[in-house]
Amino acid sequence: MARGPVLRRTLLAALPALAIASRGLAQTPPAPLIGVWDGLLQLPGGRLRLALEISEAGDGYGVVLRSLDQGGGPIPATIKTASGKIAIEAASINARLDGAMAADGRLVMTFTQLGAPSQIVFSRRPGGAAPPPLPRTLLGPVPSDADILAELKSRIDVEKRGVGLVVGIVDAAGKRRIIAYGARAKGSVKPLDGDTLFEIGSITKTFTSLLLADAVRRGEVKLDDPLVKYLPPGSKVPERGGRQITLIDLATHTSGLPRMPANFAPANRANPYADYPAERLYAFLADYQLPRDIGVTWDYSNYGVALLGQALARRAGTDYDTLVRTRVLRPLGMTSTAIKLTPALAERFATAHDAELNAVSEWNLDGFAPAGALRSSANDMLTLLAVESGARQSPLSAAMADQLRVRRPRAVPNQAQALGWQVASYLNGELASHGGATAGFQTFAGFDRGRRLGVVVLSNTANPVEDIGLYVLGGPHPATLAPRPPRPSSRPAIAIDPAILPAYAGVYRLGPKFTVTVTVEDGKLMVGPTGQAKRALIPVGRDEFVVTGVEALVTFHRDVEDKVFGLALAQNGQTSNAPREPDPR
């Protein structure tokens, strides 16, 4: 399930915060480079502020990179200069900055990480000044159907990043537009339309938060009610600083609970949530210790929203499926939205595909249903968005307005977390949105209450579509954003010395019960994730390897002593970092 757009943050996320500066390894930089430099990095769906700090350090120069909008500590880097050119490398995150100082005194650089280059211009920060705020931008007009269709065709026919895509738009007058391209399944001639069903993944969380707002209106719960009040008798919920986790903490991802529980160990990774009942949600709480204060720090949690939905269902004396059907879907007339599909709905359900366009299994969620179990169509989602945007009235209108009244800050500037929806501020309005991702689907839903405009994007392929959704809502055209990284398999193999392969061997931990084991066998590097067959790694760059048989890239991280201390696995538009386990002694 997705972390929920608006801004993808895989670029510098989950990196070790090393509080030391690295020294230049070659020529030292000229004096004009000394200082703090601020730049704005353009990413799909948003921007990040980066700060580059160059200082004197003994007989050399210290260089650190900071991602101001993602927190964490300084990222050590090295610097080389020659013939007016500047090269800065942050080996721990496999990133480089290459460029030169322009005549106006700014640093014009190219930032490259995991094969994706983006231009960034750094300006010197005045002494003692605070970093510049992330500027808000203007929302533009909704693009034409022809422009939207051209983007869908490019995504499917040119970039080969999709099988089928459907975009739905509803305006202030209630007029609907459906733009669809592609097929329900790879190799099929059966087209998609506004009534084709897709897994909407984490967009389900907005339905769960709507159930919360509605339950408050009914007088059944209060936002500041403690979670434990609605769990099975005897349940133990962690506390911190004398504060209990409340329902509003769960709905705004500020509970302090993890993204996923440590007792999540799927028997079938193709359908990972099917064997995880609500009872295991409650069991994990008993021994968990919160790592941070409640209600303070935003940290996306599938687990927290799953608990919220199950608690609301218990309060109503029913199960989550029945609750969402009777209190949201039926009142809104959403007849093509469901967790369990009838035979008639199943006939309209699209085939799921991974990022490499291979057919994959659909997902069935049990205890995690409130976090990502719904299936829906573009037409049904426009029914929801017409009410959310204010273009249409419904008995749920008041509860939907309540969803947006709650605001807690996120780590990303100009963005806040409402009940379920994530809200981004612009110079001429604000957008509320959420994304969804499962093994074979990617989705986006968003609306603008000022313009009474709603947009949904549904794809039966596990490649991101958030940039399309934001574009249709008036954001930047996807072509103007940072280039999407090339498919790993498109990169040519290179020859490397087999003698260096043992340096990569080891066990790398991706989760509490999931590791990646790298071994050297017959002069080749092999990777074996927990419970999966080994695959060969093909070298394509310094410390970069493509996983054979799947569209995945493994990049090994080195420390300042050039020792491998971790790896990053990039697959399906997501990047996960895995530290290396200590070698057994």
Side-chain angles (χ1 to χ4, degrees):
M1 287 170 279
R3 286 183 60 92
V6 173
L7 179 63
R8 275 196 295 273
R9 300 194 300 132
T10 57
L11 184 68
L12 299 174
L15 301 172
L18 302 179
I20 60 172
S22 299
R23 296 187 177 185
L25 298 183
Q27 297 180 356
T28 56
L33 285 180
I34 303 300
V36 180
W37 302 81
D38 292 297
L40 196 61
L41 185 66
Q42 183 73 58
L43 297 173
R47 296 173 293 178
L48 284 178
R49 293 175 300 162
L50 299 186
L52 184 63
E53 301 174 5
I54 304 175
S55 60
E56 293 186 88
D59 58 354
Y61 290 82
V63 185
V64 295
L65 183 68
R66 296 181 187 270
S67 177
L68 301 177
D69 301 319
Q70 296 178 296
I75 300 163
T78 59
I79 187 168
K80 300 178 183 179
T81 63
S83 303
K85 296 186 181 299
I86 304 166
I88 297 171
E89 182 173 7
S92 66
I93 60 170
N94 200 48
R96 289 184 57 86
L97 283 159
D98 297 279
M101 181 178 288
D104 61 5
R106 297 186 301 169
L107 301 181
V108 180
M109 313 288 284
T110 297
F111 180 94
T112 306
Q113 186 181 46
L114 299 179
S118 303
Q119 188 179 65
I120 181 170
V121 178
F122 289 92
S123 297
R124 187 189 298 275
R125 186 189 304 176
L134 185 69
R136 291 190 296 172
T137 57
L138 280 168
L139 288 168
V142 176
S144 67
D145 288 10
D147 287 341
I148 296 170
L149 182 60
E151 177 60 29
L152 303 189
K153 288 182 176 180
S154 175
R155 198 66 58 100
I156 292 174
D157 295 339
V158 179
E159 300 178 35
K160 306 298 183 184
R161 292 179 179 270
V163 172
L165 283 159
V166 180
V167 172
I169 306 168
V170 60
D171 63 18
K175 181 182 178 181
R176 297 184 176 201
R177 296 156 55 187
I178 297 291
I179 304 96
Y181 188 73
R184 291 193 189 181
K186 185 179 180 182
S188 171
V189 296
K190 199 170 186 179
L192 305 104
D193 56 31
D195 294 320
T196 305
L197 271 70
F198 299 75
E199 291 177 354
I200 63 171
S202 286
I203 296 176
T204 304
K205 293 178 174 68
T206 66
F207 289 77
T208 299
S209 291
L210 177 56
L211 287 170
L212 171 60
D214 179 63
V216 171
R217 286 248 161 202
R218 292 170 180 262
E220 295 177 350
V221 303
K222 296 179 180 178
L223 289 178
D224 59 359
D225 279 346
L227 168 64
V228 70
K229 182 177 180 180
Y230 303 110
L231 296 187
S235 295
K236 181 182 177 183
V237 178
E239 300 180 9
R240 185 178 171 99
R243 193 185 186 293
Q244 294 180 301
I245 295 174
T246 65
L247 303 185
I248 191 175
D249 297 324
L250 298 172
T252 57
H253 300 284
T254 55
S255 65
L257 292 172
R259 180 178 182 272
M260 292 294 293
N263 65 353
F264 181 74
N268 178 10
R269 298 198 67 84
N271 192 10
Y273 294 89
D275 61 344
Y276 193 99
E279 290 73 20
R280 293 180 67 184
L281 289 172
Y282 312 141
F284 174 73
L285 283 171
D287 299 318
Y288 187 72
Q289 293 186 352
L290 296 172
R292 54 190 167 270
D293 290 343
I294 300 168
V296 177
T297 303
W298 184 92
D299 195 8
Y300 192 85
S301 177
N302 289 317
Y303 176 58
V305 179
L307 281 169
L308 173 63
Q310 297 296 349
L312 293 172
R314 287 184 54 81
R315 173 63 181 87
T318 187
D319 59 88
Y320 180 80
D321 187 355
T322 302
L323 185 67
V324 73
R325 276 190 291 109
T326 56
R327 294 195 176 182
V328 175
L329 305 181
R330 193 174 298 163
L332 290 175
M334 297 178 68
T335 57
S336 293
T337 303
I339 292 177
K340 300 173 183 177
L341 300 184
T342 64
L345 291 179
E347 283 291 318
R348 294 192 270 129
F349 187 60
T351 299
H353 303 83
D354 63 19
E356 294 76 48
L357 314 187
N358 302 304
V360 294
S361 172
E362 61 187 77
W363 277 5
N364 300 290
L365 287 75
D366 188 355
F368 272 90
L374 284 171
R375 282 99 159 158
S376 190
S377 68
N379 275 324
D380 248 24
M381 286 300 299
L382 291 182
T383 297
L384 171 81
L385 294 171
V387 183
E388 288 279 13
S389 69
R392 173 189 161 209
Q393 293 301 303
S394 156
L396 287 168
S397 292
M400 289 180 174
D402 291 343
Q403 284 183 277
L404 297 185
R405 290 193 177 97
V406 173
R407 302 288 175 95
R408 288 190 175 176
R410 295 184 61 204
V412 181
N414 304 327
Q415 296 191 27
Q417 178 70 56
L419 295 183
W421 297 102
Q422 292 159 12
V423 184
S425 297
Y426 294 79
L427 288 172
N428 56 340
E430 62 180 27
L431 300 180
S433 68
H434 208 295
T438 60
F441 297 89
Q442 285 259 354
T443 54
F444 171 91
F447 60 92
D448 179 346
R449 289 185 72 89
R451 291 180 290 170
R452 296 186 179 181
L453 172 69
V455 170
V456 63
V457 183
L458 304 173
S459 170
N460 60 346
T461 312
N463 281 311
V465 296
E466 172 197 357
D467 55 342
I468 298 176
L470 293 174
Y471 164 57
V472 178
L473 280 165
H477 190 285
T480 67
L481 302 176
R484 285 180 287 273
R487 287 181 175 275
S489 61
S490 69
R491 298 180 60 178
I494 64 171
I496 62 172
D497 185 353
I500 71 172
L501 296 181
Y504 301 114
V507 178
Y508 301 80
R509 183 160 297 280
L510 275 169
K513 296 186 178 181
F514 191 72
T515 60
V516 172
T517 301
V518 178
T519 56
V520 180
E521 300 179 16
D522 298 326
K524 295 181 180 180
L525 212 57
M526 306 293 291
V527 60
T530 300
Q532 300 179 33
K534 292 182 179 180
R535 295 179 182 270
L537 292 177
I538 307 300
V540 294
R542 172 177 163 78
D543 297 331
E544 293 182 305
F545 296 80
V546 168
V547 183
T548 56
V550 296
E551 288 290 347
L553 180 72
V554 171
T555 303
F556 291 93
H557 297 322
R558 294 181 181 270
D559 59 22
V560 294
E561 297 179 350
D562 209 35
K563 294 181 180 179
V564 175
F565 70 85
L567 63 76
L569 174 65
Q571 186 178 21
N572 296 339
Q574 303 292 325
T575 301
S576 302
N577 288 277
R580 185 175 188 169
E581 297 277 87
D583 293 331
R585 297 184 181 277

